[in-house]
Amino acid sequence: PDLPILERKNWLIYLLYVRRDYEECKAVIKEQLQESQGLCEYAVYVQALIFRLEGKIQESLELFQTCSILNPRSADNLKQVARSLFLLGKHKAAIEVYNEAAKLDEKDWEISHNLGVCYMYLKHFNKAQDQLNNALELNRHDLTYMMLGKIHLLEGEIDKAIEIYKKAVEFSPENIDLLTSLGLLYLQTGDYQKAFEHLGNVLTYDPGNYKATLAAGSMMQAHGDFDVALSKYKVVASSVPESPPLWNNIGMCFFGKKKYVAAISCLKRANYLAPFDWKILYNLGLVHLTMQQYASAFHFLSAAINFQPKMAELYMLLAVALTNLEDTENAKCSYEQAVALDKCNPLINLNYAVLLYNQGDKQGALSQYQEMERKVTVARESSTPDFDPEKMVEMAQKMGAALQVRESLVWTKPSKESKSKQKAAVSGKSSSQQPLGSNQALGQAMSSAAGYGKTMQLPPGAATPALPKKPPSLPLEPEQEQDSEMSPEENSAPTGDE
Amino acid sequence: FDRNGPGTSLKLPGTGQGGGPSPAVRPVTQSGRPITGFVRPSTQGGRPSTMEQAIRTPRTALTARPITSASGGYIRPGTASMLTNPDGPFINLSRLNLTKYAQKPKLAKALFEYIFHHENDIKNALDLAALATEHAQFKDWWWKVQIGKCYYRLGLYREAEKQFKSALKQQDMVDTFLYLAKVYLRLDQPVTALNLFKQGLERFPGEVTLICGIARIYEEMNNISSAAEYYKDVLKQDNTHVEAIACIGSNHFYSDQPEIALRFYRRLLQMGVYNCQLFNNLGLCCFYAQQYDMTLSSFERALFLAENEEETADVWYNLGHVAVGIGDLNLAYQCFKLTLVNNNDYAEAYNNLAVLEMRKGHTEQARALLQTASSLAPHMYEPHFNIAILSEKVGDLQRSYTAAQKSEEAFPGHVDTQQLLKHIYYFATLIFDRA
């Protein structure tokens, strides 16, 4: 009689495993192990793979260790041991085992790639980059590109990340994840044309893609195509009904279409789902300011400030709310804070100037006005694309006239609606856009900004008597708004709803 | 009988045709049953599947009262109410000759009620009722209903059903309909019970208890929209029905209409309901409906009216939510801590505390709190999901995977969980595993 061959059923085990017939496969493995008294390496190996598929990584680790005892010269076995360690979160141990494996097999991209990922979790970014580049040289792979891009983003180098993703997309142009990431990065840097191109590609391959839809929708919102954006959102809303960024964007669409009540209810739903998201609170505050519900606006804005204390626009809006709540002292403090935090937004100074003027402090108003002019000049020179507040120009002219500032050469734009100035006192809301929405991609942010202009009325008694040439057109308080960084919002923020 | 077609049984939670808010919006009691607006003594939020599980879960998790091994709540020591004769029982049951009393219907009915309701001696009551119905030649529906009640109490549901049906043939009574429906619900046949209620409504159009029964069944089946319809019918008949008002109010609250919910709860307040829960709800509605002037005073009143520590804990928990809403995380932290001081088993508070700790960057504390939360309330998906993302961040995919699986189990439709699972699966297994 012939001696039993240890490995004689390997073909069957393999066949059953690749057909995902795991139950049958386990039975054969058991039989084979009994027959060979546990010495059949391949049976143990596949059993470990099945355990790992089932999420039992500790068990799979033990079996792979058995394998590497049975066959210590195999790099594969060591690799699997290291991989199980990696999946258990023991990155240092995994690196050691991978190094062992690398000694046995030097030309393996997997080892380099996984070493890179382990280093990334340990925050050794330089080593991680070396390993990943090494892996790319050995064998190019989508996942390696992904990780490399991620490391660049973690280090805050968006340009390098874009380069990496570009190469990756050239290499595999149909990978949705790569395309989405690249599109979002372009969005973040303000290159809308390219962003749109890439996200459009994603949507052709996968029409219901959540991230791409959200990003594309927010770009449309930035250009005022609210209906188109809404129809985009409708596609994903049924598959992702409880996403705070989605409801936030839908709310801002309605806001753009001047359906304020609908906007508030969408935003409040978003806020209910994500109570820690300052952008939703910010938008709620903004909508309530528009609705002239200053108490609620104050409430939402102060909540947003608690979550995001470093944003000048929030303090500005808070000050506007406070002004309307007849708390001028605090409004001034809030404006001071905003001015201190801000670098380039002229609206803050303009609003502050109006407040000071209405308080009768012409000197302070003048200095704020000059500060604003300086910022406007800077903005002109750098030609920021999203700087287009017509209303602001108009308001500034009035302000300038009221303050008798002659050198208004900054204002070249003719104010078309100068007739309607008196009317503007009622509450002329102009084009209001507010794209927002956090995208999940790699925790990054894209920015799209838009101007929002609006005038509000102050109590009529506030107009000061010293109005030189122009007829008294002063009861005004411009307040505009623009915003939108979108933030690193991955849904990684655990939400604790009740 | 068809037991488990979707939507025909009360035992499978989440089988309803939807229409209600998902667990992401409305909190749940046991997997899939949303909390109701009104707690009745017979409320059952899900059932334990094994004896072991029933023993291990908190005693108030399934009914409005602490669970006992059998319905021992019915047994009372017969001392306190013996006012007529303080030295001993009023009647010694074992000495009675039931045959004799059964001959005299006037005496028999009173005696039966005494035995059934006061002495709680079902067997003797059943004996008396059997003799009496024989004496009445099976023509008195009242006796049949009483026999049915005895059977029901003894757990003989089919026999009880027979008695109630035969009583219904003789005389239509609202009571009988309600008893029969109760039997059907015990047999887990909600659709039969619904049909019965609708028959009853044909005989007694606009009967509040029947409509309310229908609404309760729909609510148990998670078909919230139909339940709300019927509760509205109840209110058309009786606009002071506390249960209907409370249920509709909580429905509105959880479907993004806190303003309307506020009106319903204020109606309850007008009617003179004055307790901790109502003010708690009022406070929440006021806050979410942006009526800031009434919010905190309602919560203060609720704290003042709280009768036990669990209620105090509820109020502090909600105050914590308000604090989160105004962005004051320190206050929120204190509120959730106070919740736990008052009720140490408050899983939601553990979860929320963990989220706050996470925001401060204290990962280990957060993880410990989440573990506590998930072991206290395995039916809530939030702690599982939070553990999953926490572990995923540090790279512990094993733990993340198991937690995400539990989250998926607790809330099968949760999109983020599914994405996380997919991500882990893709990341962890498929690519590198070559056989």
Side-chain angles (χ1 to χ4, degrees):
Chain A
D2 47 352
L3 290 168
I5 310 166
L6 280 181
E7 315 271 329
R8 70 187 160 125
K9 273 193 185 159
N10 285 0
W11 64 273
L12 182 59
I13 294 174
Y14 175 78
L15 208 62
L16 289 170
Y17 176 75
V18 296
R19 285 182 180 169
R20 303 192 180 190
D21 193 349
Y22 299 130
E23 286 311 307
E24 189 71 29
C25 188
K26 275 191 213 165
V28 177
I29 288 172
K30 208 176 169 191
E31 193 182 301
Q32 181 71 3
L33 282 178
Q34 268 174 359
E35 225 169 86
S36 65
Q37 271 124 38
L39 292 178
C40 176
E41 185 199 342
Y42 191 71
V44 180
Y45 187 87
V46 175
Q47 176 71 59
L49 285 181
I50 293 177
F51 273 143
R52 192 192 278 165
L53 273 177
E54 288 166 351
K56 300 173 187 161
I57 300 176
Q58 190 62 45
E59 285 91 330
S60 88
L61 174 65
E62 282 157 22
L63 288 182
F64 281 127
Q65 276 166 342
T66 319
C67 275
S68 64
I69 291 170
L70 288 173
N71 183 2
R73 299 302 306 157
S74 151
D76 258 348
N77 289 340
L78 280 181
K79 261 160 59 183
Q80 295 293 8
V81 171
R83 185 153 176 75
S84 286
L85 283 171
F86 163 72
L87 293 177
L88 285 170
K90 298 171 182 166
H91 298 118
K92 270 188 190 150
I95 287 177
E96 280 170 25
V97 182
Y98 270 125
N99 284 331
E100 290 285 310
K103 281 178 202 159
L104 295 174
D105 181 357
E106 287 174 355
K107 289 284 166 215
D108 190 339
W109 75 272
E110 265 183 53
I111 295 178
S112 300
H113 173 93
N114 283 330
L115 275 173
V117 179
C118 285
Y119 280 127
M120 185 184 86
Y121 275 114
L122 293 175
K123 304 222 169 15
H124 298 312
F125 293 127
N126 283 334
K127 280 188 192 172
Q129 280 183 28
D130 293 343
Q131 290 293 347
L132 289 174
N133 282 325
N134 196 13
L136 281 181
E137 273 169 31
L138 291 169
N139 197 347
R140 288 197 289 171
H141 204 283
D142 290 2
L143 213 60
T144 315
Y145 282 119
M146 272 300 224
M147 287 298 156
L148 205 51
K150 202 168 165 182
I151 288 174
H152 283 305
L153 286 180
L154 284 175
E155 290 191 300
E157 300 156 328
I158 295 183
D159 296 336
K160 281 190 188 170
I162 288 183
E163 284 306 309
I164 295 288
Y165 279 119
K166 258 186 184 168
K167 273 188 213 160
V169 168
E170 265 170 44
F171 169 63
S172 76
E174 293 190 16
N175 186 325
I176 291 175
D177 291 330
L178 288 175
L179 283 173
T180 320
S181 305
L182 186 56
L184 291 177
L185 282 181
Y186 276 130
L187 205 57
Q188 206 175 352
T189 52
D191 194 343
Y192 296 118
Q193 189 56 40
K194 282 186 180 159
F196 206 78
E197 207 173 283
H198 286 98
L199 294 172
N201 277 342
V202 175
L203 289 178
T204 28
Y205 294 130
D206 177 10
N209 190 301
Y210 167 70
K211 281 184 207 167
T213 312
L214 216 55
S218 75
M219 264 189 289
M220 290 166 191
Q221 268 173 277
H223 294 102
D225 288 339
F226 300 114
D227 289 311
V228 187
L230 269 180
S231 66
K232 287 272 174 209
Y233 293 142
K234 220 179 256 172
V235 179
V236 283
S238 55
S239 62
V240 195
E242 278 131 18
S243 145
L246 180 68
W247 282 110
N248 180 37
N249 284 7
I250 293 179
M252 291 328 280
C253 269
F254 281 125
F255 181 59
K257 293 168 68 172
K258 304 216 167 83
K259 292 184 175 164
Y260 298 120
V261 178
I264 288 179
S265 59
C266 289
L267 286 171
K268 280 179 80 173
R269 164 175 288 195
N271 182 40
Y272 185 88
L273 292 169
F276 294 118
D277 192 333
W278 66 268
K279 271 178 272 106
I280 299 168
L281 289 167
Y282 178 108
N283 287 338
L284 271 170
L286 184 68
V287 181
H288 281 100
L289 274 186
T290 317
M291 297 283 280
Q292 304 185 353
Q293 294 181 343
Y294 302 112
S296 296
F298 168 78
H299 162 91
F300 288 116
L301 289 169
S302 73
I305 285 178
N306 278 328
F307 291 122
Q308 175 75 25
K310 293 269 176 275
M311 194 168 165
E313 282 87 355
L314 278 173
Y315 287 100
M316 177 185 78
L317 291 184
L318 188 73
V320 173
L322 281 170
T323 314
N324 287 292
L325 292 172
E326 290 168 22
D327 186 354
T328 336
E329 281 313 305
N330 283 322
K332 270 185 190 163
C333 293
S334 185
Y335 272 125
E336 289 296 345
Q337 186 72 28
V339 171
L341 284 171
D342 179 66
K343 292 277 175 300
C344 57
N345 187 351
L347 297 172
I348 295 171
N349 300 95
L350 180 58
N351 275 336
Y352 194 16
V354 171
L355 175 76
L356 288 175
Y357 185 85
N358 283 334
Q359 290 292 310
D361 181 358
K362 279 183 80 177
Q363 202 56 42
L366 190 63
S367 73
Q368 287 304 320
Y369 183 81
Q370 281 160 350
E371 176 66 15
M372 171 194 70
E373 282 194 328
R374 192 186 58 74
K375 283 181 184 171
V376 170
T377 330
V378 173
R380 281 282 158 86
E381 278 161 9
S382 61
S383 72
T384 323
D386 36 278
F387 180 71
D388 169 42
E390 276 182 40
K391 266 285 194 292
M392 197 194 102
V393 175
E394 183 188 321
M395 210 57 66
Q397 278 174 336
K398 280 192 272 182
M399 193 71 207
L403 290 169
Q404 290 176 289
V405 187
R406 287 297 162 79
E407 65 279 36
S408 56
L409 42 129
V410 193
W411 312 110
T412 48
K413 196 171 262 182
S415 62
K416 297 168 237 165
E417 306 166 37
S418 46
K419 299 172 271 175
S420 64
K421 261 178 205 162
Q422 253 80 346
K423 275 188 194 164
V426 181
S427 118
K429 288 148 206 151
S430 79
S431 69
S432 46
Q433 305 170 317
Q434 185 81 14
L436 261 204
S438 21
N439 293 289
Q440 299 185 317
L442 303 174
Q444 82 233 166
M446 46 180 200
S447 80
S448 45
Y452 162 68
K454 154 171 159 55
T455 46
M456 277 186 289
Q457 187 174 24
L458 275 193
T464 41
L467 293 177
K469 283 154 199 164
K470 285 223 167 183
S473 63
L474 235 257
L476 49 88
E477 158 123 12
E479 109 18 64
Q480 329 206 339
E481 173 7 10
Q482 55 145 18
D483 106 286
S484 291
E485 251 62 70
M486 329 272 79
S487 66
E489 251 327 272
E490 294 224 356
N491 44 4
S492 52
T495 52
D497 323 352
E498 313 183 49
Chain B
F1 282 91
D2 173 2
R3 310 257 346 204
N4 285 337
T8 61
S9 165
L10 298 178
K11 291 198 171 166
L12 293 173
T15 51
Q17 287 81 6
S22 75
V25 178
R26 187 170 185 157
V28 290
T29 51
Q30 299 280 325
S31 60
R33 267 204 218 301
I35 61 162
T36 84
F38 186 83
V39 180
R40 322 159 189 102
S42 64
T43 300
Q44 294 195 322
R47 297 162 200 225
S49 51
T50 62
M51 199 61 205
E52 198 195 347
Q53 196 190 338
I55 294 168
R56 276 192 312 183
T57 42
R59 278 162 46 105
T60 48
L62 299 167
T63 63
R65 295 202 198 98
I67 284 189
T68 52
S69 58
S71 292
Y74 294 120
I75 299 163
R76 268 191 308 191
T79 50
S81 48
M82 298 287 117
L83 292 178
T84 48
N85 186 357
D87 300 321
F90 176 51
I91 304 168
N92 194 338
L93 288 184
S94 52
R95 291 206 175 165
L96 290 182
N97 183 358
L98 295 178
T99 333
K100 201 176 80 192
Y101 289 106
Q103 310 298 320
K104 304 170 186 164
K106 280 176 194 156
L107 208 54
K109 288 192 179 177
L111 183 61
F112 174 86
E113 298 210 312
Y114 177 79
I115 301 175
F116 189 85
H117 291 294
H118 184 269
E119 292 292 313
N120 224 331
D121 186 342
I122 310 296
K123 250 187 80 196
N124 275 321
L126 183 59
D127 284 344
L128 177 61
L131 292 169
T133 190
E134 212 170 313
H135 178 75
Q137 288 153 352
F138 305 100
K139 279 181 185 150
D140 189 348
W141 63 270
W142 193 85
W143 281 115
K144 292 185 180 170
V145 171
Q146 304 313 314
I147 294 173
K149 275 161 71 177
C150 289
Y151 281 138
Y152 178 81
R153 191 69 74 77
L154 291 170
L156 305 168
Y157 301 123
R158 288 293 176 194
E159 277 76 6
E161 182 196 352
K162 255 181 233 158
Q163 295 293 336
F164 289 136
K165 271 190 170 164
S166 135
L168 265 187
K169 252 178 228 159
Q170 276 178 1
Q171 175 85 34
D172 285 329
M173 291 297 280
V174 177
D175 249 6
T176 321
F177 278 112
L178 291 174
Y179 277 118
L180 195 51
K182 212 168 151 181
V183 171
Y184 283 130
L185 286 181
R186 256 305 155 87
L187 293 170
D188 193 21
Q189 292 176 9
V191 179
T192 322
L194 280 179
N195 289 336
L196 184 80
F197 274 133
K198 281 169 192 165
Q199 265 175 35
L201 275 180
E202 278 165 24
R203 309 273 161 74
F204 304 97
E207 171 61 38
V208 171
T209 46
L210 295 179
I211 310 176
C212 191
I214 296 180
R216 282 181 201 171
I217 294 175
Y218 276 126
E219 202 180 339
E220 291 253 302
M221 289 163 75
N222 273 2
N223 191 341
I224 305 284
S225 50
S226 310
E229 286 299 306
Y230 281 98
Y231 278 127
K232 274 180 198 157
D233 284 352
V234 172
L235 284 193
K236 271 177 210 155
Q237 305 292 337
D238 173 6
N239 56 10
T240 57
H241 199 274
V242 176
E243 178 179 350
I245 296 178
C247 286
I248 295 181
S250 72
N251 264 341
H252 280 297
F253 181 77
Y254 287 117
S255 45
D256 291 333
Q257 292 166 316
E259 301 86 0
I260 302 174
L262 180 60
R263 278 169 54 189
F264 278 96
Y265 285 121
R266 281 178 60 178
R267 165 86 187 160
L268 283 181
L269 191 65
Q270 277 175 349
M271 282 159 41
V273 181
Y274 192 75
N275 58 23
C276 168
Q277 284 89 358
L278 177 64
F279 278 103
N280 199 357
N281 285 344
L282 269 177
L284 269 189
C285 287
C286 283
F287 181 71
Y288 282 104
Q290 294 167 258
Q291 307 288 328
Y292 299 120
D293 45 349
M294 263 269 282
T295 308
L296 288 180
S297 54
S298 297
F299 280 122
E300 264 169 15
R301 192 75 56 89
L303 273 182
F304 178 69
L305 287 171
E307 279 166 359
N308 51 38
E309 295 194 331
E310 278 81 19
E311 287 181 356
T312 318
D314 276 335
V315 182
W316 279 116
Y317 176 74
N318 286 330
L319 274 170
H321 268 272
V322 172
V324 170
I326 60 175
D328 188 344
L329 296 187
N330 286 326
L331 179 61
Y333 192 83
Q334 299 299 335
C335 288
F336 290 133
K337 278 270 179 194
L338 277 171
T339 312
L340 290 180
V341 168
N342 282 297
N343 179 0
N344 209 14
D345 294 338
Y346 213 111
E348 288 88 347
Y350 278 111
N351 180 52
N352 289 0
L353 262 186
V355 174
L356 293 179
E357 289 283 4
M358 266 297 287
R359 287 185 64 87
K360 291 185 189 168
H362 301 163
T363 322
E364 281 314 307
Q365 275 103 317
R367 184 190 296 283
L369 288 169
L370 286 174
Q371 292 290 5
T372 320
S374 67
S375 62
L376 282 175
H379 59 276
M380 274 171 31
Y381 80 95
E382 292 99 343
H384 297 307
F385 179 67
N386 287 341
I387 291 178
I389 39 183
L390 202 66
S391 309
E392 202 264 341
K393 237 185 204 164
V394 290
D396 187 350
L397 295 178
Q398 160 84 76
R399 216 183 284 179
S400 177
Y401 187 68
T402 38
Q405 269 179 329
K406 279 186 205 154
S407 161
E408 170 83 10
E409 212 171 283
F411 176 13
H414 192 231
V415 181
D416 290 334
T417 305
Q418 282 161 1
Q419 280 175 348
L420 186 68
L421 272 177
K422 226 165 87 185
H423 172 73
I424 296 173
Y425 192 72
Y426 173 78
F427 192 69
T429 53
L430 280 184
I431 317 168
F432 297 109
D433 288 351
R434 258 170 274 113

